[in-house]
Amino acid sequence: MSSLSPEALERIRAQFDYGPYPRVPLEATPKENYGALAIHDIRSAFYRRDRKLRSTEGACILDVGCGSGFKTLMLALANPGATIVGVDLSPKSVELAQERLKFQGFPAVKFYALGLDEIGQLGLAFDYINCDELLYFFDDPAAALGQMKAVLKPDGIIRTNLHSKNQRIAHYRLQELFKFLGFLDGNPEAAEMEAATELMNALQPGILSRAAVWNMPLQLQKEEKQDELEQWLLANLLLQADKGYGIPDLRQYLEAAGLEFLGMVQAPLWRLNELFGDRDQIPAFWALGIQEASLLDQAYLYDLLHPVNRLFDFWCSPQPLRSADDWEEWPLEQRLGLTVQLHPQLAQPGIEKQLQEKLKLRERFSLARALHGEFLGMLTYEPLFGALIRPLFERSLLVKDLVQRFQQLQPLDYATGKPWELEAVAELVWNFLAELERDQCLFLTQA
């Protein structure tokens, strides 16, 4: 049974047959979009849950709501050796996706024009399901999650997302307006897009609805990017069946589907402590409460205080997070024995070249910005630490190897002017590596 009404299904199918999403040329490639590739790399998800690395070779991946196939291409690039299947409600989108993957050199990727309730027909069990920009369309997201779980292996992982009602409140007001005006009675096409644009342009700049959402469309008009403007309108103000949710809704849907929350895909964008300018001034009651709060509770508070994230983009699984070892409590010798590996999507010639340029100019650097872009609280590091991690672009190393390398690069302790004590230099290097691990830039695993 579908978790979308037949009427809603048909409207969504019609909209994406008219304008397959995203509208990206066949020759376009995300090869240097390291952040997007890291999101689509299943090693990111499995490390988050298990604190272990798994191979992409032989993994079976499903892309639900594959659209025009650009994100399926990301899955193919990020997961070498995996079997990938894409499904979408829109036959036009499926045709374009198949053409795209063949053009890009991945003819083995298969696509099917199927709804979510039909994926059991494939007769496959999946290690990983990517369901991007789709779940918020469903009348019953819990049922949709259950349909994905039914074709997921017991130890598999689902990546999906919901729209934040707090972040998109202005969009929903305008969707209601255009629904009242009849623009969404059928499939919105050129006439409706032209009328919506005319109305928004005519509003005074200070009108709240215009001020909240219309800056990007104005820029697209200024640059005469009509195709991108139409895509934006269809994905926002004229989007059929769009809905917004809160974190309590997400919690309810996961419980109903029997799935465990593993965390937000881009966890650094959800750090509560980054909302405070001076961490020493964080109220004691708040700091103590956060230590006890679940990941979902922390996301709930973040969305209430600072609703800038359009999506609750999360991983979930039938299996819970493995009990995370508190590394800080480990003896120094045990921490020194951990293996350090740069995230595979950062261990790329393009990123290494960027780092080398920073080192030549003796400038500060941030690996995390390659994955997450600019955001509140993003740390940068001194060139010395860039030199420290350069060998990770070629091979994994033990923490103790990096401690020894740091001693070679900087023989004297900053504070004493004397050779480093092992514990002092190890703590310095460890804190740096732990920060990069929290930023999802590297993996720390037991040998």
Side-chain angles (χ1 to χ4, degrees), residues 127-179:
D127 296 285
Y128 188 84
I129 296 177
N130 185 67
C131 180
D132 191 19
E133 305 278 4
L134 180 65
L135 190 62
Y136 50 75
F137 289 122
F138 288 97
D139 297 326
D140 186 354
L145 286 168
Q147 288 166 337
M148 286 185 273
K149 182 184 176 186
V151 297
L152 187 72
K153 292 180 181 178
D155 63 344
I157 292 177
I158 298 169
R159 178 260 175 136
T160 189
N161 34 59
L162 292 168
H163 269 149
S164 165
K165 64 182 179 183
N166 291 328
Q167 195 277 338
R168 278 176 68 85
I169 189 168
H171 294 80
Y172 295 128
R173 288 200 310 267
L174 287 167
Q175 286 179 15
E176 186 175 345
L177 169 71
F178 292 126
K179 189 178 294 183

Side-chain angles (χ1 to χ4, degrees), residues 28-136:
T29 176
K31 285 182 178 179
E32 295 186 1
N33 189 339
Y34 309 109
L37 291 174
I39 286 172
H40 290 81
D41 188 329
I42 68 171
R43 289 167 288 194
S44 300
F46 282 92
Y47 175 79
R48 174 74 63 86
R49 189 187 68 188
D50 303 331
R51 283 270 178 91
K52 296 178 181 178
L53 297 183
R54 68 152 294 164
S55 174
T56 61
E57 189 74 33
C60 192
I61 300 172
L62 175 65
D63 191 15
V64 179
C66 63
S68 65
F70 193 65
K71 292 180 181 179
T72 320
L73 176 59
M74 292 182 188
L75 288 167
L77 289 167
N79 299 284
T83 297
I84 300 173
V85 177
V87 299
D88 197 277
L89 198 63
S90 161
K92 293 289 186 183
S93 297
V94 165
E95 289 177 16
L96 181 56
Q98 190 76 70
E99 186 179 357
R100 181 186 308 281
L101 271 290
K102 286 182 179 178
F103 181 86
Q104 292 284 349
F106 296 97
V109 176
K110 302 299 182 186
F111 292 93
Y112 302 90
L114 296 173
L116 181 58
D117 58 324
E118 300 172 304
I119 56 177
Q121 298 175 16
L122 297 171
L124 297 171
F126 297 95
D127 296 285
Y128 188 84
I129 296 177
N130 185 67
C131 180
D132 191 19
E133 305 278 4
L134 180 65
L135 190 62
Y136 50 75

Side-chain angles (χ1 to χ4, degrees), residues 47 271 327-328 335 340 381 399 427-442 444:
Y47 175 79
R271 288 183 189 156
W327 284 321
E328 303 303 331
R335 279 186 277 158
V340 186
Y381 296 97
V399 174
E427 206 62 34
L428 186 66
V429 171
W430 172 259
N431 288 337
F432 169 64
L433 295 176
E435 186 66 36
L436 286 184
E437 194 270 347
R438 284 191 290 271
D439 282 342
Q440 301 174 307
C441 295
L442 55 77
L444 294 170

Side-chain angles (χ1 to χ4, degrees), residues 278-292:
D278 186 345
R279 297 187 185 185
D280 293 335
Q281 299 301 315
I282 298 175
F285 80 89
W286 181 271
L288 290 171
I290 293 307
Q291 289 178 10
E292 303 298 324

